[in-house]
Amino acid sequence: MTKLPKNVRIGRNGRVGILKKVPRDLWEHPQYKDRSKVIERSTGAINVTEGVKIARAMLEDLEQEFASARSELPVIAHASDQQGIGPQAEKSPPQEPEAKALEDNACKEEPRPAPRRREADITRRDILDAAMEEFAAKGLSGARVDAIAAKTRTTKPMIYYHFGSKEKLYAAVMEEAYGGVRSKEQGLHLDALPPEEAMRRLVEVTFDHHAEHPEYVRLVSVENIEMGRHITGRQSLIERNAIAIQTVSDLLKRGVEAGIFRADINPWHLHFLISSFCFMRVSNRYSWRAVFDMDLWDEADIPAQREMIVETILRYVKP
């Protein structure tokens, strides 16, 4: 059998993985304190040649992780001293002016991500884009990780390394999909606009985003078939969508204070009203055409639909 590189192992399930000790100088770092001092991770690969290649990349990433944690130690120690906790730090001897200037200049430099970290971020982005296309087209059950890997510059085991499983990748894609519309809303800077103009802009952008991203609509439809089980309890998703409701709530409040919106509107209901129209014209396009022989995406009719939902919302919020 081929001798494996240092820190590379083959697990009981036959898959290649890594087994590496946490350096002693990092044992008190919050990331590793009170945890096992040995890190064990699987590449997901059974083929030794492919697994070793992935394992080496994982070990390089781990070294970057250690380096990043090590750079935080002085900051953590300083914070502990400031709060009166942790061991008393030894006082450093006074620095020469030249040395002090060099240190100050070094602190001012913006940290640059390591090449391995940048490469990992690019790979992750590549996987998410391909996975969104695959899940939107075939749903969770029909999508195949092999097909996702084929659309990227990576491999199936590397996808499992980054996301753990197909279900976890799907959950990450769902979070990405929701994040797109939320980021679009946050970029509108509605506070800078008068309330009525801001409301119009919010509705228009919601309409346009759903029309431009039918994959988002399909993914949400799939997740409802799955009864929401892959996004339930994801705190980051909850927090991000709570901001959407807060945006509507703040806008309503400004309109009420200006005397142009009525005060009895539930922000959740208003968000639902806007989203439902924008969502349904995408989700029900084909069934609507089959039943009514009308294409909701007829370019000649789209401006009228867009203005209709804007006018509906503006009339609804007025006293």
Side-chain angles (χ1 to χ4, degrees):
M1 180 177 177
T2 305
K3 184 178 179 180
L4 296 173
K6 185 180 179 181
N7 301 122
V8 178
R9 301 286 188 272
I10 295 181
R12 294 178 181 177
N13 58 4
R15 299 183 187 279
V16 179
I18 63 171
L19 190 68
K20 187 171 178 64
K21 292 181 180 179
V22 176
R24 185 176 289 275
D25 63 318
L26 294 177
W27 284 10
E28 293 303 313
H29 189 284
Q31 188 171 342
Y32 307 107
K33 190 176 182 180
D34 301 326
R35 295 185 181 182
S36 171
K37 299 303 184 287
V38 176
I39 294 176
E40 186 174 8
R41 295 175 183 171
S42 173
T43 66
I46 295 178
N47 180 278
V48 175
T49 302
E50 184 178 23
V52 168
K53 181 179 178 180
I54 297 171
R56 282 177 171 155
M58 291 171 66
L59 288 167
E60 289 182 27
D61 283 345
L62 197 55
E63 290 297 340
Q64 292 292 338
E65 179 183 309
F66 289 156
S68 177
R70 193 171 283 115
S71 69
E72 296 170 356
L73 285 174
V75 178
I76 295 170
H78 177 69
S80 298
D81 291 343
Q82 291 289 339
Q83 297 172 18
I85 60 176
Q88 183 67 30
E90 294 182 4
K91 293 185 178 180
S92 301
Q95 290 180 300
E96 293 294 330
E98 185 177 354
K100 181 71 166 59
L102 287 172
E103 182 179 303
D104 289 345
N105 287 335
C107 292
K108 291 177 183 177
E109 293 182 2
E110 294 184 3
R112 297 179 180 178
R116 286 294 314 169
R117 182 59 58 192
R118 287 200 301 270
E119 184 179 333
D121 290 342
I122 292 171
T123 299
R124 183 180 175 87
R125 177 73 269 162
D126 198 25
I127 294 169
L128 281 172
D129 289 343
M132 184 172 291
E133 180 182 339
E134 179 74 6
F135 286 129
K138 302 176 182 177
L140 174 60
S141 59
R144 295 290 178 265
V145 177
D146 289 309
I148 295 170
K151 297 175 183 177
T152 67
R153 293 166 292 178
T154 189
T155 62
K156 181 177 179 180
M158 187 61 80
I159 292 176
Y160 283 119
Y161 162 57
H162 280 282
F163 295 95
S165 67
K166 185 172 83 166
E167 287 72 21
K168 289 180 180 179
L169 173 58
Y170 171 77
V173 165
M174 287 302 305
E175 189 161 350
E176 185 82 3
Y178 274 102
V181 65
R182 299 289 85 92
S183 296
K184 186 71 69 68
E185 291 167 354
Q186 292 304 301
L188 294 177
H189 305 294
L190 298 177
D191 290 344
L193 300 174
E196 186 169 343
E197 184 179 344
M199 185 66 73
R200 169 178 283 275
R201 188 71 186 125
L202 176 62
V203 177
E204 288 175 341
V205 167
T206 304
F207 181 97
D208 293 342
H209 183 84
H210 282 70
E212 293 165 4
H213 296 279
E215 73 281 0
Y216 163 72
V217 174
R218 289 195 292 268
L219 284 167
V220 174
S221 298
V222 168
E223 183 58 13
N224 276 280
I225 293 173
E226 296 286 334
M227 300 183 180
R229 63 190 180 93
H230 296 96
I231 62 174
T232 299
R234 292 182 72 89
Q235 192 59 34
S236 58
L237 198 58
I238 294 171
E239 291 172 357
R240 179 172 287 181
N241 283 278
I243 294 175
I245 301 300
Q246 189 61 52
T247 297
V248 175
S249 182
D250 292 344
L251 180 50
L252 286 171
K253 182 179 179 181
R254 288 203 296 125
V256 170
E257 291 173 350
I260 60 174
F261 293 167
R262 55 193 179 94
D264 61 340
I265 299 175
N266 184 316
W268 280 271
H269 290 171
L270 184 60
H271 178 74
F272 173 61
L273 180 59
I274 298 170
S275 298
S276 59
F277 180 91
C278 299
F279 189 96
M280 181 177 172
R281 66 174 298 274
V282 180
S283 66
N284 288 33
R285 175 189 180 185
Y286 300 105
S287 59
W288 188 274
R289 185 170 61 187
V291 173
F292 297 107
D293 193 26
M294 175 186 175
D295 187 0
L296 293 173
W297 282 23
D298 183 347
E299 292 187 8
D301 193 45
I302 289 176
Q305 295 177 29
R306 191 173 187 262
E307 185 59 29
M308 179 175 68
I309 184 59
V310 170
E311 188 67 21
T312 298
I313 297 302
L314 291 180
R315 290 191 182 192
Y316 176 70
V317 299
K318 288 180 179 178

